[in-house]
Amino acid sequence: MLYLLILLLASSVLAKNYTERLIVGHFPAEFAFGVASSAYQVEGAWDADGKGKSIWDVFAHQPGHIKDGSTGDVSDDQYHKFKEDVQHLKWLGVTHYRLSIAWTRLLPDGTINNINQKGIDHYNAVIDELFNNNIVPFVTLFHWDLPQGLQDYGGWENDTIIEHYKNYADLCFKSFGDRVTNWITFNEPFITSWMGHETGVNAPGIKDVDAEYRTAHNLIRSHVKAYRHYDQRYKTAQMGRVGITLDTEWKEPRTESPADLAASNRAMVFRLGWFANPIVYGDYPKIMKDKLAERSKIQGHAGSRLPTFTAAEIAENKGALDFLGINHYSTNFVQATTSDKTKPGFFNDQDVAYISTNKYAWGLRKLLNYIKTTYGNIDVYITENGAADCGTNEDQVRVDYVKRYLNAVLQAIQDGCPVKGYFVWSLLDSYEWDSGYTVKMGLFRVDFSRPDLPRYPKTSAYFYKSICKEKGFTQSILDFRAFAKDRDEFVYGQFPAGFMWGLATAAYQVEGAWNEDGKGPSIWDDFAHQSGRIANGDTGDVACDSYHKYKEDVQMLKHVGVTFYRFSIAWSRVLPDGTLGSLNSKGIDYYNRLIDELLANNITPFVTLYHWDLPSALQKQGGWLNESIIDRYNDYAKLCFENFGDRVKLWLTFNEAYVISWLGHGIGIFAPGIKSPGTGVYQVAHNIIRSHVKAYHSYDTLFRSRFNGKVGITLDIEWKEPFTMSSADGYAAERALQFKLGWFANAIFGNGDYPSVMKQYVAAKSKSQHLLKSRLPEFTDDEKRMNAGSYDFLGINHYTTNLVSDVPNTDSTPSYERDQDIETREDPCWEKTPVDWLRVNPWGIRKLLNYIKSRYGNPTVYITESGRPDVDGVDDQGRISYYKSYTNELMKAINIDGCNVKGYTGWSLMDNLEWSSGYSLRFGVYYVNFTDPARPRTPRKSVDFLRNLFSNNGFYKQ
């Protein structure tokens, strides 16, 4: 009769609807705010200090069991880093930490005959460290890592395990019970039973459709044995509590039909009631016993596949818990079905169809009300709840998840449910069982690529910290976000009238004809001809042969529908030795033909004067390290202005001055291959700025009134996003922007000088290196006046975003990189491309443009390069997605934020020589067959996408 009453009350919960809403409110004063972990997932040190092998040590070492082939041998190395992790707990402000003890660290073979004192000492140290920091330990005795020594004798299917488990529990109670007053006997016995012994997905990997019930039976008996042992021997003195953690989804009926309501109840009984009913009421649920008895008979078993408790065991079982731990992550929608009764198996036994799994927080509220109704006022702790993702620091998914689910707990408490605490899973990214390290669930990111396994707080850590501090939800906490709600939304609309669309190339990358018609050698000709400089020994000697095929290139541009074509002039094609005395008329003629061909097809020429290919003759005189280059460059610029300025109205003095300085003269991986990371890099940049300024003023004075053109410079810059929400990382991200963009932009678009933070840092580093003056050169007052405002527009080459953290560099070796005291990395969730340095992050371009608007007074900007490498073939869906998302963010920056952007340039028109990568990377919207001497071009699918984008001048909803 009692069972029928419980069933009736439970059905009323099943039929009750809750709407998902968030409320402001606070938890009871003694509510436990915690985070959780488990030994095998975080400790590492798998065979250190006398630890024995567990079934997970063995299972993970066997090929094919773990998704990424990884193990927990090292994991987070919490065995050695627990003090650091306790400080992370303290920073979070949690009251409790749920951890598990590795049975084999205390008893290497699982038996009391072999006690490992070093294991006991370790956990004593952990517990003491928690207590010293006012954090309450909440200890799990068994989190799936059974000693392999016991598994060899049958493990949980052997009745002798019960006594072994009791002995292990006794050792823990005796060793730690003076400080640990919250004990969980087992974590998720369902997983141990079903995934470990029926499906074999988890250790020990047994696949037996009858083993799950035998395993569960002994797990329950072991729990009861340990509970009663504590109750009789330790409870009075230690005043602790012992519970068990069960995992369950909420089982929501697909419809409100009686059949589906019954199926929902049946599913809850089979999952939660399987373990909860014996411990609360003494025996398995009647529904479960009846189902298994019926099916076992049909399947030819002499008795039920579900074991039977004796009358004495039922009496012993009943009430064998002080609290109930619940691990909950999602809701299942279920409906009634009729399963094949001849087939054994846990899910087949239920006559329930599982339709879908969803992350509905109201499911947790329903579950807690169901537990209250079904099992009475047992204290409940949510011992695990959290979200998995790919590991981003800006983990809005986790913020939303914890916000919604913990708020549902608050509402359940208001319903009268006796919930006493909540633990986020988990403190750290860790080893997620058969998924290995492929999913991340931590509030703290762990960098598994580094041997020191550093931890970094994610946005969710800051969010949970605020909840712990407030002990509930204020409106500001409910409004908390990792990023703006509309950040990743795609919007429809158009760019402003007159917005310019283009594609880009550079002379050395496409022209070929490296020594034809009087052209002199450039530093890239020399560099590429040196062995080992370029991938696969490639050179630009022929490249795309655009010197001969420029008319075909123009027709390609016309087909795409560009407004302009950005190309560069090869200095050594017009001035073979770099000086006016070597003027090559055939070079002048070539560019005249190209410009005329563009104009004849209504395409505006957008010309870069210098795209890295310095004449070799000038390099022999010191190149950009020699101040004489300033006048040589100015002569070259004036020659171009004079010869082409009547038709060219958009000029770029330099492409990516940073690359010339750092890659060419700092680390030497680009031409001319000079390695001077501490001094030469700054002198080159200094001379580039001065060269730009002189050429700009030459145009302004001598040519502007005649030709009415505009002169700018192209700077390359990633968006620099703080790695964490710390103020230190915020300053580091700003410093990174100043050291790269501001290095050149501040002098030209700002106050005429280098950024103050750059001057301060380089000066301080130089002083620490015992230098008499800063390695960063100084501008004279006259130069500063000439520098400031020496632009008509800013060209920006933007491809990706970096995450930046503050990392003081103690290496005293002079270096531009080390001067910054930063570290950069990429978000693991951003889409990868064929190159490590370029991950797809569309919103970075919008943030960058807003930064430029704010920092430099909203100058006219052209995006002069943007794109990604993709497949060798023509179906370049990755490139289409890139262009679509980046240009959409660009449109937001213009139309919503008011950024003064006038054009966008895709890199590149066609596959070409990608510098030191040779022809191995393909950025082109046209495929080029470099194995064919004719260098045929084939349009990729991105051509059609860009044609539509350019002709529509934006995005129309279909």
Side-chain angles (χ1 to χ4, degrees):
M1 192 69 182
L2 175 62
Y3 178 77
L4 292 175
L5 177 60
I6 291 170
L7 181 59
L8 181 63
L9 291 170
S11 297
S12 70
V13 175
L14 291 168
K16 187 172 182 179
N17 291 320
Y18 293 103
T19 57
E20 187 150 324
R21 61 190 179 90
L22 297 175
I23 64 171
V24 171
H26 291 80
F27 289 86
E30 299 304 315
F31 191 82
F33 291 96
V35 291
S37 67
S38 82
Y40 185 74
Q41 293 179 270
V42 300
E43 283 185 358
W46 76 285
D47 60 351
D49 293 339
K51 179 185 173 294
K53 287 183 181 178
S54 76
I55 56 174
W56 269 96
D57 292 320
V58 173
F59 189 76
H61 286 168
Q62 295 169 351
H65 286 151
I66 310 301
K67 187 173 182 179
D68 57 1
S70 62
T71 73
D73 291 0
V74 178
S75 189
D76 297 312
D77 196 25
Q78 194 177 80
Y79 184 75
H80 298 105
K81 294 170 73 74
F82 69 87
K83 289 187 178 182
E84 177 186 337
D85 289 341
V86 170
Q87 291 309 302
H88 294 319
L89 293 165
K90 185 177 182 180
W91 176 86
L92 278 171
V94 296
T95 58
H96 292 64
Y97 178 46
R98 181 183 169 217
L99 67 148
S100 77
I101 292 174
W103 190 337
T104 56
R105 204 172 288 285
L106 270 57
L107 303 174
D109 65 4
T111 74
I112 201 68
N113 300 322
N114 184 12
I115 298 174
N116 178 29
Q117 186 60 43
K118 288 184 177 179
I120 294 174
D121 293 344
H122 169 71
Y123 290 111
N124 270 322
V126 172
I127 292 165
D128 288 344
E129 190 71 15
L130 289 167
F131 259 88
N132 291 339
N133 286 276
N134 298 312
I135 299 167
V136 177
F138 212 101
V139 176
T140 305
L141 291 172
F142 182 78
H143 201 124
W144 307 352
D145 47 353
L146 186 71
Q148 183 62 38
L150 297 181
Q151 185 60 42
D152 291 341
Y153 290 94
W156 292 110
E157 294 186 76
N158 187 332
D159 288 357
T160 61
I161 195 75
I162 300 168
E163 189 66 21
H164 288 307
Y165 179 78
K166 189 267 288 183
N167 291 337
Y168 160 60
D170 176 77
L171 178 63
C172 292
F173 297 152
K174 181 167 55 181
S175 300
F176 316 123
D178 57 329
R179 289 148 295 158
V180 176
T181 55
N182 295 286
W183 296 96
I184 295 171
T185 55
F186 291 94
N187 178 78
E188 300 183 354
F190 166 80
I191 299 296
T192 303
S193 305
W194 181 64
M195 293 183 72
H197 292 80
E198 180 182 323
T199 68
V201 171
N202 277 11
I206 293 170
K207 298 178 181 180
D208 183 342
V209 291
D210 294 329
E212 76 271 34
Y213 293 117
R214 295 193 300 268
T215 296
H217 199 65
N218 281 340
L219 287 167
I220 294 167
R221 295 162 79 196
S222 297
H223 161 81
V224 172
K225 185 92 168 179
Y227 175 84
R228 295 300 177 194
H229 182 71
Y230 185 89
D231 195 51
Q232 294 161 12
R233 185 166 180 179
Y234 294 102
K235 192 177 187 72
T236 300
Q238 295 181 357
M239 296 188 295
R241 300 181 304 162
V242 178
I244 188 171
T245 280
L246 307 179
D247 65 305
T248 182
E249 305 82 10
W250 172 246
K251 313 295 184 180
E252 180 73 6
R254 188 178 186 187
T255 72
E256 293 187 5
S257 69
D260 283 358
L261 285 167
S264 173
N265 183 67
R266 204 159 52 246
M268 288 301 305
V269 165
F270 263 77
R271 183 66 177 267
L272 181 63
W274 185 9
F275 299 94
N277 269 55
I279 295 169
V280 176
Y281 296 117
D283 201 0
Y284 293 117
K286 185 177 186 302
I287 292 175
M288 198 171 180
K289 291 196 294 182
D290 291 348
K291 280 282 181 187
L292 267 295
E294 175 197 16
R295 287 176 178 254
S296 299
K297 185 175 181 181
I298 292 170
Q299 293 156 8
H301 293 275
S304 176
R305 289 165 40 236
L306 183 69
T308 302
F309 292 115
T310 66
E313 285 177 326
I314 290 172
E316 192 80 354
N317 292 346
K318 188 174 182 179
L321 79 168
D322 298 318
F323 64 86
L324 176 61
I326 290 292
N327 291 356
H328 174 83
Y329 290 91
S330 58
T331 290
N332 295 147
F333 280 81
V334 299
Q335 68 180 26
T337 191
T338 302
S339 304
D340 185 347
K341 293 181 173 60
T342 66
K343 292 184 178 180
F346 173 76
F347 281 98
N348 203 60
D349 292 335
Q350 301 175 41
D351 284 342
V352 174
Y354 287 76
I355 307 303
S356 63
T357 300
N358 304 88
K359 308 294 185 184
Y360 292 132
W362 51 257
L364 179 53
R365 185 180 177 190
K366 276 197 167 188
L367 174 62
L368 292 169
N369 276 274
Y370 173 89
I371 292 169
K372 179 185 70 170
T373 302
T374 307
Y375 300 110
N377 285 320
I378 297 171
D379 286 352
V380 173
Y381 290 85
I382 305 301
T383 42
E384 283 184 28
N385 181 245
D389 64 16
C390 47
T392 181
N393 269 25
E394 293 187 327
D395 52 342
Q396 184 62 40
V397 168
R398 186 167 293 106
V399 169
D400 283 341
Y401 185 98
V402 172
K403 184 188 299 182
R404 291 167 46 240
Y405 275 81
L406 185 50
N407 202 265
V409 172
L410 178 61
Q411 293 174 57
I413 291 171
Q414 294 179 354
D415 295 337
C417 299
V419 187
K420 302 301 181 182
Y422 173 90
F423 293 78
V424 174
W425 184 270
S426 63
L427 172 64
L428 306 171
D429 291 339
S430 60
Y431 187 79
E432 288 297 336
W433 307 111
D434 63 305
S435 295
Y437 300 104
T438 62
V439 297
K440 307 296 192 295
M441 297 192 73
L443 296 177
F444 282 77
R445 175 177 175 175
V446 178
D447 188 344
F448 293 106
S449 68
R450 288 177 45 170
D452 57 338
L453 298 164
R455 288 88 152 113
Y456 307 97
K458 301 177 187 177
T459 303
S460 58
Y462 288 89
F463 171 69
Y464 193 53
K465 176 182 172 74
S466 67
I467 292 176
C468 294
K469 180 179 180 181
E470 189 64 32
K471 299 190 181 302
F473 292 94
T474 62
Q475 190 58 53
S476 64
I477 291 175
L478 293 180
D479 293 339
F480 182 101
R481 290 190 57 83
F483 49 80
K485 189 174 183 180
D486 66 346
R487 187 190 74 179
D488 299 321
E489 290 180 3
F490 187 86
V491 299
Y492 292 91
Q494 285 186 289
F495 286 81
F499 189 81
M500 299 179 70
W501 298 98
L503 290 167
T505 63
Y508 183 73
Q509 294 179 270
V510 299
E511 284 183 359
W514 77 283
N515 61 354
E516 289 187 38
D517 293 339
K519 178 185 175 292
S522 76
I523 57 173
W524 268 97
D525 293 317
D526 298 340
F527 192 75
H529 290 161
Q530 295 170 12
S531 177
R533 293 294 197 176
I534 310 294
N536 306 312
D538 295 334
T539 72
D541 291 1
V542 178
C544 304
D545 199 22
S546 287
Y547 185 75
H548 300 105
K549 296 169 72 71
Y550 69 91
K551 288 188 177 182
E552 181 180 341
D553 294 346
V554 172
Q555 291 308 303
M556 288 155 48
L557 291 159
K558 185 176 182 178
H559 177 73
V560 182
V562 299
T563 316
F564 67 89
Y565 176 42
R566 180 186 168 216
F567 65 96
S568 74
I569 294 173
W571 189 341
S572 63
R573 195 176 292 284
V574 296
L575 298 175
D577 70 1
T579 69
L580 293 176
S582 65
L583 178 65
N584 178 28
S585 60
K586 289 184 178 180
I588 299 290
D589 292 345
Y590 167 69
Y591 291 111
N592 273 323
R593 293 195 301 272
L594 173 57
I595 292 165
D596 289 344
E597 188 72 15
L598 289 167
L599 291 171
N601 286 275
N602 297 312
I603 299 169
T604 299
F606 198 140
V607 176
T608 306
L609 290 171
Y610 185 78
H611 201 125
W612 310 351
D613 45 355
L614 186 72
S616 299
L618 294 182
Q619 183 59 44
K620 291 175 182 176
Q621 298 171 24
W624 293 108
L625 286 165
N626 187 333
E627 287 189 353
S628 66
I629 195 72
I630 301 168
D631 289 333
R632 299 292 79 76
Y633 178 81
N634 192 51
D635 290 342
Y636 160 60
K638 287 191 295 182
L639 176 72
C640 292
F641 297 152
E642 181 66 52
N643 282 274
F644 313 124
D646 58 329
R647 289 152 295 155
V648 175
K649 307 303 178 185
L650 292 167
W651 294 95
L652 288 164
T653 55
F654 290 91
N655 178 78
E656 299 185 353
Y658 162 85
V659 173
I660 304 164
S661 306
W662 179 239
L663 273 64
H665 295 80
I667 54 178
I669 62 172
F670 277 15
I674 292 171
K675 296 180 180 180
S676 181
T679 54
V681 60
Y682 289 122
Q683 188 59 52
V684 167
H686 199 64
N687 287 337
I688 287 173
I689 294 169
R690 296 156 83 194
S691 297
H692 160 82
V693 172
K694 187 158 189 172
Y696 174 83
H697 286 294
S698 290
Y699 188 91
D700 199 44
T701 303
L702 302 174
F703 300 99
R704 189 180 301 277
S705 61
R706 291 168 56 192
F707 299 140
N708 197 30
K710 295 181 179 179
V711 178
I713 187 172
T714 278
L715 305 178
D716 63 305
I717 183 66
E718 310 80 12
W719 173 243
K720 308 294 186 179
E721 181 76 3
F723 182 49
T724 73
M725 292 179 67
S726 71
S727 58
D729 284 358
Y731 291 131
E734 170 65 22
R735 196 159 64 245
L737 284 163
Q738 288 302 311
F739 261 82
K740 188 167 186 182
L741 178 65
W743 187 7
F744 303 93
N746 208 67
I748 299 166
F749 299 86
N751 64 4
D753 199 1
Y754 293 115
S756 58
V757 68
M758 194 173 185
K759 293 198 294 182
Q760 291 166 7
Y761 268 69
V762 179
K765 295 277 186 177
S766 300
K767 184 177 181 180
S768 71
Q769 292 152 3
H770 310 294
L771 300 175
L772 297 179
K773 64 177 183 177
S774 175
R775 289 179 281 105
L776 184 67
E778 294 182 1
F779 292 113
T780 67
D781 290 341
D782 285 343
E783 284 178 326
K784 292 175 189 176
R785 284 191 289 270
M786 293 291 285
N787 292 346
S790 58
Y791 70 93
D792 298 315
F793 64 88
L794 170 61
I796 288 291
N797 289 358
H798 174 80
Y799 289 89
T800 189
T801 294
N802 297 148
L803 301 176
V804 183
S805 52
D806 178 68
V807 180
N809 199 307
T810 57
D811 189 334
S812 62
T813 307
S815 166
Y816 159 79
E817 277 194 340
R818 286 189 282 271
D819 286 341
Q820 301 174 54
D821 283 349
I822 62 168
E823 185 174 83
T824 62
R825 70 196 78 210
E826 290 72 43
D827 192 303
C829 295
W830 296 339
E831 180 187 351
K832 293 181 179 180
T833 70
V835 284
D836 291 339
W837 62 266
L838 200 169
R839 292 209 184 197
V840 179
N841 182 48
W843 52 258
I845 194 170
R846 183 180 181 186
K847 281 200 168 187
L848 174 62
L849 291 168
N850 275 275
Y851 177 86
I852 291 169
K853 173 189 171 187
S854 173
R855 185 84 190 187
Y856 302 113
N858 207 17
T860 297
V861 172
Y862 290 88
I863 303 300
T864 44
E865 285 182 26
S866 178
R868 60 157 288 179
D870 208 344
V871 296
D872 281 356
V874 298
D875 190 13
D876 54 343
Q877 295 300 319
R879 182 175 291 111
I880 291 171
S881 176
Y882 181 99
Y883 281 137
K884 182 178 181 180
S885 57
Y886 272 64
T887 55
N888 199 257
E889 291 297 316
L890 173 60
M891 188 172 71
K892 292 180 194 176
I894 296 168
N895 293 347
I896 298 173
D897 307 331
C899 296
N900 188 22
V901 186
K902 300 300 184 183
Y904 177 86
T905 318
W907 184 271
S908 166
L909 171 63
M910 59 192 142
D911 297 336
N912 54 61
L913 184 109
E914 286 296 337
W915 307 110
S916 61
S917 297
Y919 300 108
S920 64
L921 296 177
R922 294 183 176 269
F923 276 85
V925 297
Y926 279 83
Y927 168 82
V928 179
N929 183 356
F930 293 107
T931 64
D932 188 328
R935 298 298 194 266
R937 289 91 151 111
T938 304
R940 290 190 166 102
K941 289 188 176 181
S942 54
V943 166
D944 290 334
F945 169 77
L946 291 179
R947 273 172 58 89
N948 289 327
L949 174 63
F950 296 173
S951 63
N952 290 330
N953 199 34
F955 302 94
Y956 285 101
K957 187 176 288 188
Q958 301 297 319

